[in-house]
Amino acid sequence: MTAQDALTLLKEGNKRYQSGQYEHPNTDTARRDSQTGGQEPFAIILSCADSRVAPELLFDRGIGDLFIIRVAGNVIDDHAIGSIEYAVAHLKTKLIVVLGHESCGAVGASLDGSDPGAHIGSITTKIHPAVDRAKQMEGDLLTNSVKENAKMVSDALRSCDPILSSAEGLEVVAGYYKLSNGEVEFL
């Protein structure tokens, strides 16, 4: 499956989610049983750990469809990148979506530039450059910061050597999930 085919499936699933017309594909026992020998996810989703952001639901997908990495603020570190590299190199997945979302607490905690302490600071520190960019923009600072963070993480993933930067047919896109209406806006 090409990256564009995968993106089309995600967009179609999100339209079903928004309208409440779910298909719940690939969620029966036959699908579960068929996946015991291996997986072939058509998309990788790097999303926030926020409990309101469930990629399988908001894209109306099932077992084995999505390879999901969730971390507050959808930031990356070696573990997240390694997980993504595994899906690209070994599972041959061609689409990565970095999914930010409305009212993100991790990004919100980054807006004033302070260090919240403990390990939370390792997350907010990674988000500060996106906040700095967003401060130069018109509009809502939190929304702009979330979108800039997703874009910056997407850019960073595209250039990750050696696997992601050289993977043939790989596409990385940023998205913004609107909690208020269920829409995923691809940026």
Side-chain angles (χ1 to χ4, degrees), residues 17-37:
Y17 174 74
Q18 288 177 68
S19 69
Q21 303 298 312
Y22 311 105
E23 289 181 4
H24 300 293
N26 300 326
T27 56
D28 60 8
T29 56
R31 177 63 173 196
R32 180 193 66 210
D33 295 345
S34 76
Q35 297 297 293
T36 60

Side-chain angles (χ1 to χ4, degrees), residues 38-83:
Q39 59 177 318
E40 294 180 358
F42 68 80
I44 301 161
I45 312 292
L46 171 61
S47 72
C48 187
D50 190 298
S51 64
R52 302 166 294 175
V53 181
E56 294 95 334
L57 298 178
L58 60 98
F59 291 118
D60 192 25
R61 299 311 313 176
I63 299 167
D65 289 336
L66 306 176
F67 192 90
I68 299 171
I69 297 94
R70 294 182 70 174
V71 62
N74 46 273
V75 297
I76 51 174
D77 61 11
D78 286 344
H79 298 98
I81 295 168
S83 297

Side-chain angles (χ1 to χ4, degrees), residues 129-151:
V131 173
D132 291 342
R133 275 193 192 177
K135 286 180 177 176
Q136 308 307 312
M137 305 169 128
E138 297 281 328
D140 181 67
L141 178 60
L142 178 57
T143 300
N144 290 339
S145 296
V146 170
K147 289 179 179 182
E148 284 304 304
N149 184 53
K151 289 177 190 176

Side-chain angles (χ1 to χ4, degrees), residues 10-18 58-59 182-184:
L10 294 178
K11 288 178 178 180
E12 290 170 354
N14 184 245
K15 285 187 190 305
R16 292 191 303 271
Y17 174 74
Q18 288 177 68
L58 60 98
F59 291 118
E183 177 189 3
V184 174

